Amino acid sequence: MSASYKIIDHEDFADTFSDIHAFALDVLVGLCEPRKSLPSKYFYDTKGSELFTAITELPEYYLTGCEREILETKGDEIAGFVQGEAFNLVELGAGDGRKTKVLLKYLLDNGYDFRYVPLDISEAAIDGLVGTLRTEFPNLEVRGLVSDYHDGLKWLNNRYKEKTFAMLLGSSVGNFGPAEARKFLRNVWSALDEGDNMLVGFDLKKDIELLLWAYNDRQGVTREFNLNILKRINRELGGQFDIENFRHYGTYDVLSGAMESYLVSLVHQSVLIKEIGRSFDFAPWEPIHTEYSYKYLIEDIESLASQTGFVVEKHLFDSKRFFADSIWRVHKPGSDS
Ligand code: AVJ
């Protein structure tokens, strides 16, 4: 007898519900809002990832250098939390893993028993990173995972008995608003076990001039990075954006504590996006919001941790106290270990 219903799963649509389709859908929705916006996750195509790497090398973009200093000088404090136990060092959103290499070197040189697990949704990122690590650290045990964070962590916890030390570097939580950040961290928490650790990078609130320079650099790399999202729409969705008709605008909202990036239309224009099959109108000086980068106080970090089920173990700072890598422990009430 045949079933009277069918459950349609992801595989049934693997070819039609493509990345391009998801991109087109998000662009349509974002540009239909009265306040236009585009999700910042679409910055990172090949060109955008290159531009972001160039940003991390700018003198004004202090975040990367500060976090590198923490990882270079505080390896012993980070490793102190595993206390001789074997562990899986999981990096959420590993990217090119540049900053992580200093920590990996420290842990290897000091004989720690661990496996490095870079986890990213981009197969190209994982493939590239695993390749370079094989040659640079032949003695390192690497297990790359291509997955979203929650499923990747669940898979790991079922597969290996060792404790997890997860890392979310580079202030990537800063792209989330407060509610989204809580939802994201709680979802990570639910895939971890009692006693597992998590290290999260936060950019701290500081002199507004320094923040403004970091997102409005002299060479205009951040400008290029922001405009690249329109070029990506042109490349992948047949968009007809004239880049000259938009300007980058990076500003700081003192109330919310967020750096905000916009692309502002300089003229009245109507822009066709072929894959979406319609045009979008822009008034002169109308902004498209493209990114939030939230800045934190220590008390903001501590409430975020406790609201999502973590206990703060320690905050690690760079010498200028511009950035914090905060180390947390997973607490699951009712768990007996
Ligand atoms: C990669 C999200 C940490 O928000 O500072 C850099 C991205 N945007 N310059 C940040 C970014 C503009 C960056 N994160």
Side-chain angles (χ1 to χ4, degrees):
M1 203 177 80
S2 70
S4 55
Y5 61 85
K6 169 173 166 51
I7 297 171
I8 294 170
D9 56 30
H10 287 303
E11 263 116 68
D12 291 321
F13 279 123
D15 54 340
T16 44
F17 198 84
S18 63
D19 291 351
I20 288 292
H21 181 70
F23 184 30
L25 205 49
D26 285 338
V27 170
L28 171 67
V29 170
L31 296 184
C32 283
E33 290 291 320
R35 292 175 180 220
K36 294 185 173 71
S37 69
L38 292 168
S40 61
K41 66 176 179 186
Y42 293 114
F43 281 142
Y44 304 93
D45 65 348
T46 307
K47 183 66 191 158
S49 301
E50 278 168 26
L51 287 166
F52 177 65
T53 301
I55 288 174
T56 64
E57 288 160 358
L58 292 169
E60 295 95 335
Y61 194 77
Y62 58 83
L63 292 79
T64 312
C66 289
E67 190 171 46
R68 185 182 306 111
E69 182 200 318
I70 296 172
L71 297 178
E72 253 164 22
T73 57
K74 307 265 156 84
D76 54 340
E77 296 196 47
I78 296 169
F81 290 95
V82 293
Q83 301 197 335
E85 279 177 77
F87 64 103
N88 286 320
L89 183 70
V90 185
E91 183 167 4
L92 305 175
D96 67 2
R98 258 202 241 186
K99 277 174 300 196
T100 322
K101 286 178 189 170
V102 268
L103 180 63
L104 294 175
K105 183 168 172 5
Y106 175 88
L107 296 172
L108 284 173
D109 289 351
N110 289 277
Y112 284 94
D113 180 11
F114 73 107
R115 176 188 294 118
Y116 176 54
V117 186
L119 195 163
D120 206 295
I121 35 162
S122 159
E123 186 174 351
I126 292 299
D127 191 51
L129 180 57
V130 171
T132 59
L133 288 172
R134 286 262 149 77
T135 41
E136 281 180 57
F137 300 97
N139 296 323
L140 176 69
E141 190 185 338
V142 187
R143 186 81 168 95
L145 283 185
V146 178
S147 166
D148 74 45
Y149 297 166
H150 181 86
D151 290 352
L153 286 167
K154 274 249 154 215
W155 183 88
L156 260 179
N157 263 350
N158 288 332
R159 169 123 188 172
Y160 300 113
K161 62 181 188 318
E162 290 90 353
K163 157 184 183 135
T164 297
F165 191 108
M167 300 194 298
L168 187 67
L169 300 176
S171 158
S172 34
V173 260
N175 282 166
F176 295 126
E180 279 178 308
R182 284 190 280 269
K183 186 171 174 180
F184 172 81
L185 288 166
R186 183 64 178 190
N187 194 33
V188 169
W189 175 93
S190 68
L192 293 169
D193 286 339
E194 168 79 26
D196 282 345
N197 285 114
M198 169 101 185
L199 179 153
V200 190
F202 293 95
D203 191 19
L204 300 176
K205 284 184 176 150
K206 60 180 61 61
D207 185 347
I208 295 169
E209 294 305 323
L210 292 172
L211 294 176
L212 290 170
W213 278 119
Y215 293 83
N216 294 280
D217 64 280
R218 278 163 228 267
Q219 290 173 54
V221 184
T222 309
R223 175 182 173 276
E224 281 301 309
F225 174 73
N226 197 11
L227 285 165
N228 178 60
I229 202 165
L230 299 183
K231 294 190 186 169
R232 182 176 183 181
I233 294 173
N234 288 353
R235 284 191 291 266
E236 296 182 18
L237 303 179
Q240 298 191 342
F241 283 103
D242 181 349
I243 305 309
E244 300 291 305
N245 286 340
F246 286 87
R247 65 156 285 181
H248 162 73
Y249 183 66
T251 185
Y252 180 67
D253 181 346
V254 287
L255 271 181
S256 67
M259 274 304 303
E260 301 180 343
S261 291
Y262 295 92
L263 291 165
V264 181
S265 174
L266 298 175
V267 295
H268 174 84
Q269 52 187 323
S270 178
V271 180
L272 174 69
I273 302 178
K274 286 185 197 147
E275 288 292 318
I276 298 177
R278 57 162 284 189
S279 299
F280 296 89
D281 292 334
F282 296 87
W285 311 112
E286 181 179 359
I288 309 171
H289 174 262
T290 52
E291 190 184 39
Y292 288 116
S293 295
Y294 279 85
K295 308 305 169 190
Y296 281 78
L297 292 177
I298 295 306
E299 44 268 52
D300 300 330
I301 298 174
E302 293 185 340
S303 36
L304 183 59
S306 74
Q307 287 163 348
T308 52
F310 294 91
V311 177
V312 176
E313 299 267 25
K314 190 165 203 168
H315 304 298
L316 305 176
F317 301 101
D318 61 290
S319 50
K320 295 204 211 81
R321 289 199 161 234
F322 279 0
F323 199 90
D325 275 329
S326 187
I327 301 180
W328 301 350
R329 189 182 72 249
V330 174
H331 179 50
K332 302 216 165 176
S335 159
D336 46 16
S337 56

